[in-house]
Amino acid sequence: MFTALYELLIGKNPDPTYRNTVFTPVGLLTVVIMLALAATFYLLLGRWQAVFHRTSHWIITLVIALIIAFSLAVSYAKDATGEPEADSYMLGFGGVNLILAGLLFFGFSLLFRRGSKFARYTPF
């Protein structure tokens, strides 16, 4: 599933390493990390106290999530291919993973928002 999505958005790479060892683990890790961040924001912090619950806090959490997603994709691709520096395909892969992470975080936010009693001021 992730392989088809990444290849559709950034194109096919002749190196089979991406297809065989990079796309699926990075996609699954991105889903798990975004799920954990959204659950932490809404179900842990949003139910605990009215300390970290406003729109600015949601945006800070989103930016952290996007940074994690981009760096996860690029570093995993560098490790798997053995390249010392990131090339344009790795950066494109990181960008696509960043977009995927943003969509996932937004979707999980919609899912978990009802579980938070203090997160009334998030963007939606």
Side-chain angles (χ1 to χ4, degrees):
M1 177 175 111
F2 293 110
T3 302
L5 176 69
Y6 287 130
E7 285 184 347
L8 174 72
L9 295 174
I10 56 176
K12 207 169 194 177
N13 191 320
D15 185 2
T17 305
Y18 285 96
R19 186 174 202 42
N20 297 334
T21 60
V22 174
F23 289 149
T24 301
V26 169
L28 288 174
L29 277 171
T30 301
V31 170
V32 168
I33 291 170
M34 294 309 114
L35 179 66
L37 280 173
T40 300
F41 181 79
Y42 284 103
L43 302 179
L44 183 65
L45 298 174
R47 290 185 64 82
W48 174 51
Q49 287 183 357
V51 174
F52 198 77
H53 65 285
R54 299 203 182 272
T55 301
S56 60
H57 302 142
W58 186 86
I59 291 171
I60 290 168
T61 308
L62 175 64
V63 168
I64 290 169
L66 297 178
I67 290 169
I68 290 170
F70 182 81
S71 61
L72 169 75
V74 172
S75 66
Y76 202 94
K78 281 174 37 178
D79 288 345
T81 59
E83 296 289 327
E85 296 292 322
D87 59 11
S88 62
Y89 192 81
M90 286 180 201
L91 295 176
F93 173 52
V96 168
N97 199 50
L98 181 136
I99 292 168
L100 174 66
L103 293 173
L104 286 170
F105 186 77
F106 184 77
F108 290 139
S109 292
L110 289 174
L111 180 70
F112 291 133
R113 187 177 190 291
R114 293 185 179 259
S116 175
K117 62 183 179 181
F118 293 116
R120 289 186 285 270
Y121 306 108
T122 53
F124 41 86

